[in-house]
Amino acid sequence: MTSAPSATRRLRPRDGVDSGDDGLRGSAMTERIDDQGGRFAAALRAAISERGITLARLRSQLIDDGNPVSMATLSYWRSGDRQPEGAQSLSVVDGIEDRLGLNRGHLGGLLRASARLGPVPPPRLPFDEEREQRETEETLKELHAAPQDALRDLSTHITAFVGASGSLEKIIMRCLVQSTKGTISEVPLIDVAPRETDVMSVISNVVGGRVDREYLHPGRLLSGVVIALDETIETGATTLFEFTETFPAGYPERQSAWHGTSRQSRESLIWVRFHPDAVPSWCEEYIETDAEYVSSIRSVRGGSVHLVRHGFGPGVLGIRWGYDE
């Protein structure tokens, strides 16, 4: 599923890689700091010194955790010449806190509010097909969905359950979102079915909100729902919501789990869990962006496979599987 901030094909928010001494790819990383930024640098220096860890070792650990960052970036942050800004940089800060045994927010809470929010580019639907783009826009219009230009997708965790038949049975999706300006009271979600169908997937067990409106596009490929949040959020505030999505009789068989986002997301995680009688013959991860399409074979260990990216988006991140005859 995809939310309009992160167009969530209900299972369908760029892969962060080390960019060398120029800093983090895909994020507006830094700007000159003020006194509050100096507090962040001082706290970072103190934590590194107390742990007796080198900057090179910390960087290596962060890369192992999926938080790529250059030595130059870490050095700038430690010295106070620059401070983290943007989704991917803030994800690295979370990773630093974890690696140094700090409570979440110990470092991030010292950043200026503008740095924590980061720059917000306009949203862009992550679908490549012209039909999907057009029908998504039409579906959002019919849903009377509120504009999502001020909604940031901070974290999306998807757990997908594959049944004995080898097809997706349900997903549980948990989303952490933030208002970057004004008031946010609802989140639209878009589903793109594997093929045309008159049957919509079912959203239930919503925590932190409720299903307020839903719509099946006449083209029978896309559908959408609007989740009204239990509590509205103002600029800088966050909210967490969760829902279960199931696929009733008549819905086309799905052998993929994916998430699409229209902006960069700090963290996107997909975890596919297979029934013991339906471990696939093959499994692959894939990434679709404006610039590239990349796929790679994955092994299924312990009956599951997961895919995580920090600072990903806009684009589509997914896992698909199949069975040889």
Side-chain angles (χ1 to χ4, degrees):
M1 183 138 227
T2 187
S3 69
S6 58
T8 327
R9 295 184 175 185
R10 286 174 194 164
L11 276 186
R12 200 173 68 140
R14 212 160 288 216
D15 180 15
V17 297
D18 181 13
S19 59
D21 289 345
D22 291 331
L24 295 173
R25 174 177 131 190
S27 66
M29 175 191 70
T30 61
E31 47 183 57
R32 295 293 300 182
I33 63 162
D34 57 10
D35 290 342
Q36 190 166 12
R39 293 171 55 201
F40 169 84
L44 177 59
R45 287 194 300 270
I48 291 174
S49 176
E50 289 171 4
R51 273 60 177 184
I53 188 173
T54 66
L55 212 58
R57 178 58 179 161
L58 177 60
R59 174 178 179 262
S60 176
Q61 293 175 343
L62 291 168
I63 292 173
D64 289 343
D65 294 339
N67 282 309
V69 61
S70 73
M71 280 293 294
T73 295
L74 289 177
S75 180
Y76 283 137
W77 293 352
R78 183 179 60 177
S79 68
D81 285 337
R82 299 176 184 174
Q83 68 169 338
E85 183 173 306
Q88 188 170 345
S89 292
L90 296 176
S91 178
V92 173
V93 173
D94 289 344
I96 292 173
E97 291 171 340
D98 292 343
R99 278 296 183 174
L100 297 182
L102 304 172
N103 293 329
R104 279 296 174 93
H106 181 88
L107 296 175
L110 298 176
L111 294 170
R112 298 194 314 272
S114 60
R116 290 196 298 271
L117 292 177
V120 183
R124 182 185 64 77
L125 293 175
F127 308 139
D128 294 329
E129 297 291 337
E130 185 278 333
R131 176 184 177 181
E132 293 179 6
Q133 288 269 359
R134 172 174 47 81
E135 293 189 0
T136 294
E137 293 171 352
E138 293 168 354
T139 298
L140 292 173
K141 181 179 180 180
E142 290 295 328
L143 286 168
H144 302 287
Q148 300 298 300
D149 57 334
L151 186 61
R152 164 169 285 151
D153 180 3
L154 293 180
S155 176
T156 298
H157 289 196
I158 294 171
T159 305
F161 298 87
V162 178
S165 68
S167 295
L168 188 63
E169 286 190 343
K170 72 173 182 178
I171 73 157
I172 297 175
M173 186 169 181
R174 181 179 296 122
C175 301
L176 176 65
V177 296
Q178 180 183 48
S179 170
T180 60
K181 63 178 180 180
T183 301
I184 301 294
S185 61
E186 63 182 33
V187 178
L189 305 169
I190 298 295
D191 180 39
V192 182
R195 62 177 182 275
E196 293 180 1
T197 177
D198 292 319
V199 180
M200 290 179 60
S201 61
V202 177
I203 304 298
S204 62
N205 301 325
V206 182
V207 180
R210 59 181 172 80
V211 175
D212 187 68
R213 308 184 294 280
E214 60 182 10
Y215 175 76
L216 175 63
H217 191 278
R220 301 166 54 241
L221 184 66
L222 275 77
S223 60
V225 303
V226 172
I227 292 181
L229 301 174
D230 286 345
E231 296 183 6
T232 58
I233 51 175
E234 305 293 337
T235 303
T238 61
T239 191
L240 187 67
F241 65 93
E242 178 183 276
F243 61 84
T244 298
E245 180 179 25
T246 53
F247 306 92
Y251 189 92
E253 291 188 357
R254 189 196 294 271
Q255 291 182 338
S256 66
W258 52 268
H259 175 58
T261 176
S262 56
R263 286 201 188 99
Q264 190 178 80
S265 174
R266 288 174 65 176
E267 181 180 64
S268 301
L269 171 66
I270 302 174
W271 185 26
V272 181
R273 300 169 61 179
F274 296 94
H275 188 281
D277 297 331
V279 177
S281 305
W282 59 268
C283 181
E284 68 174 1
E285 66 177 60
Y286 62 94
I287 297 173
E288 300 176 23
T289 67
D290 273 349
E292 62 181 358
Y293 173 88
V294 178
S295 65
S296 59
I297 295 297
R298 294 290 304 274
S299 61
V300 177
R301 299 176 179 177
S304 69
V305 63
H306 76 276
L307 174 60
V308 63
R309 289 294 185 273
H310 297 91
F312 173 78
V316 175
L317 186 69
I319 296 174
R320 62 168 64 97
W321 59 89
Y323 302 85
D324 295 334
E325 295 293 337

